[in-house]
Amino acid sequence: QMSCVKKALALCNSVLGSMLMTILFFQTTGATMSVQADPLCYDPTNPIRLLLASASSTFFAGFPVVLSTTLAKRRVKSAEDWTRKQRRHHIRKWMCINGVMLAYDLSFLLICILFSMSFFANLSEADTW
């Protein structure tokens, strides 16, 4: 089971990670061209290219989310013969993993937000559709 915070972080990372990969695709391919650019340089009637870009960005953005949710799941361990020290050690281990995964999720979220904001800040009025 996962807590509500982890589920919310996974959802935000999925959405913003997909947006990050889409922005990265369009930024590196030069598809965000200005109005003054030559019309022959860009073919806006190619929906296959845009569909492939969005599908691949969603696919590649899913890797960090899958890693995070897979490592965040806990299985119930029933060990009645454990000592108090063994239980504390096991719970401490889970808490450390939770802390690392929370830091990973938050850092990925902040990187997505920072990269997206820097992309949007570099757009001008000439970059409109």
Side-chain angles (χ1 to χ4, degrees), residues 16-92:
L16 290 176
S18 180
M19 186 170 72
L20 170 82
M21 295 302 288
T22 304
I23 287 172
L24 189 63
F25 172 78
F26 285 114
Q27 190 174 23
T28 57
T29 61
T32 54
M33 299 174 72
S34 68
V35 176
Q36 290 109 4
D38 186 16
L40 299 174
C41 293
Y42 178 64
D43 181 20
T45 60
N46 190 359
I48 304 282
R49 180 173 179 256
L50 298 177
L51 183 64
L52 287 175
S54 62
S56 64
S57 66
T58 303
F59 177 74
F60 286 120
F63 286 133
V65 175
V66 168
L67 174 72
S68 175
T69 55
T70 302
L71 292 176
K73 290 183 181 176
R74 302 285 177 252
R75 292 178 180 83
V76 176
K77 290 193 174 187
S78 176
E80 296 174 4
D81 58 342
W82 280 9
T83 64
R84 185 180 190 126
K85 185 177 179 180
Q86 288 173 325
R87 285 186 185 143
R88 272 197 325 246
H89 175 72
H90 193 69
I91 291 172
R92 198 173 303 134

Side-chain angles (χ1 to χ4, degrees), residues 97-112:
I97 291 172
N98 283 345
V100 168
M101 292 314 298
L102 182 65
Y104 168 78
D105 285 338
L106 287 175
S107 63
F108 183 72
L109 184 68
L110 289 175
I111 287 170
C112 289

Side-chain angles (χ1 to χ4, degrees), residues 19 22-28 30-36 114-129:
M19 186 170 72
T22 304
I23 287 172
L24 189 63
F25 172 78
F26 285 114
Q27 190 174 23
T28 57
T32 54
M33 299 174 72
S34 68
V35 176
Q36 290 109 4
L114 179 69
F115 193 80
S116 301
M117 289 298 135
S118 66
F119 177 77
F120 293 138
N122 288 326
L123 293 177
S124 64
E125 277 189 40
D127 296 326
T128 60
W129 290 353

